[in-house]
Amino acid sequence: LSLGNAFSFDDLDKFDESVREIGEFVSYCVERKIDGLSFEATYEYGKLALGCTRGDGYEGEDITHNLMVIDDLPKYIDKLKNTPEFKVRGEIYMSKDNFNRINEIRKKNNEPLLANTRNAAAGTLRQLDSEVVKKRGLNAFVYYIVNPKEYGLETQSDSLRLLRELGFKTQESNLITG
């Protein structure tokens, strides 16, 4: 289950109650949300082979050429060299510092300013020219392994630990049990 939007402690309590209907012992892996553009990356025998936007949940855009220039994503993972396919999901985002830097340049050049960091990241990632993507300095983090049980992973905390071991950037997480 995913928390979705919560704006009060009452919202958190209601979510916790719905989770406890499934089982009495509950643990939460709490991760900070950064609003960017969701993506999925496929590694074949350790090599980044395919990247796509999540699109409508069924079909997305091929952004492999642009993922190749984002420094936060490993392009080759030696520990996966014998793994035919390994898929992860994450977020591509633009930091506020980069956003402000780009808008300063655009302002000096009398170009329209970028509206917000999320739209700026999404528009950048859809560029046909990977050099534009590289210059804008997008960031990425990964939060999910597709089919985690295939790798013996039982919890989100276990998945995040493996992702970090493989060289992916992840958000800090806190484990809460009770």
Side-chain angles (χ1 to χ4, degrees):
L1 297 173
S2 179
L3 177 58
N5 291 326
F7 300 101
S8 69
F9 286 111
D10 282 342
D11 292 342
L12 291 174
D13 288 339
K14 287 176 187 170
F15 175 76
D16 184 59
E17 286 173 22
S18 68
V19 170
R20 290 179 189 278
E21 289 175 11
I22 297 170
E24 191 158 319
F25 178 77
V26 175
S27 66
Y28 293 104
C29 180
V30 181
E31 301 167 67
R32 184 173 41 170
K33 170 72 170 131
I34 293 180
D35 194 21
L37 180 72
S38 295
F39 75 95
E40 183 171 285
T42 302
Y43 288 78
E44 294 175 354
Y45 296 101
K47 182 181 176 191
L48 177 57
L50 178 66
C52 59
T53 64
R54 296 292 313 282
D56 60 7
Y58 298 100
E59 189 173 324
E61 297 173 53
D62 185 338
I63 55 167
T64 309
H65 64 291
N66 287 336
L67 291 187
M68 293 296 188
V69 298
I70 296 176
D71 292 337
D72 289 347
L73 286 174
K75 310 314 177 268
Y76 180 78
I77 302 169
D78 192 57
K79 290 180 181 178
L80 295 176
K81 66 183 175 190
N82 296 320
T83 305
E85 185 176 86
F86 185 79
K87 290 184 179 188
V88 296
R89 293 185 184 145
E91 292 280 316
I92 304 289
Y93 67 98
M94 181 180 286
S95 72
K96 286 184 180 180
D97 287 343
N98 270 352
F99 176 78
N100 291 333
R101 177 185 57 81
I102 291 166
N103 267 344
E104 282 298 315
I105 293 168
R106 294 176 74 85
K107 187 176 181 179
K108 287 177 186 174
N109 293 334
N110 293 318
E111 297 174 329
L113 299 182
L114 302 174
N116 58 59
T117 56
R118 187 193 183 289
N119 290 351
T124 299
L125 202 56
R126 290 185 171 106
Q127 294 286 321
L128 297 178
D129 184 355
S130 295
E131 280 304 307
V132 173
V133 177
K134 186 158 185 67
K135 285 179 187 174
R136 289 203 177 166
L138 296 179
N139 297 98
F141 68 93
V142 174
Y143 57 81
Y144 184 73
I145 297 172
V146 177
N147 300 320
K149 291 191 185 242
E150 287 182 18
Y151 307 100
L153 303 168
E154 295 292 325
T155 67
Q156 176 66 0
S157 295
D158 292 340
S159 293
L160 291 171
R161 192 174 306 109
L162 176 60
L163 288 167
R164 286 189 290 271
E165 287 172 11
L166 294 174
F168 290 100
K169 290 195 175 188
T170 64
Q171 292 297 304
E172 278 190 42
S173 61
N174 295 304
L175 182 62
I176 302 168
T177 60

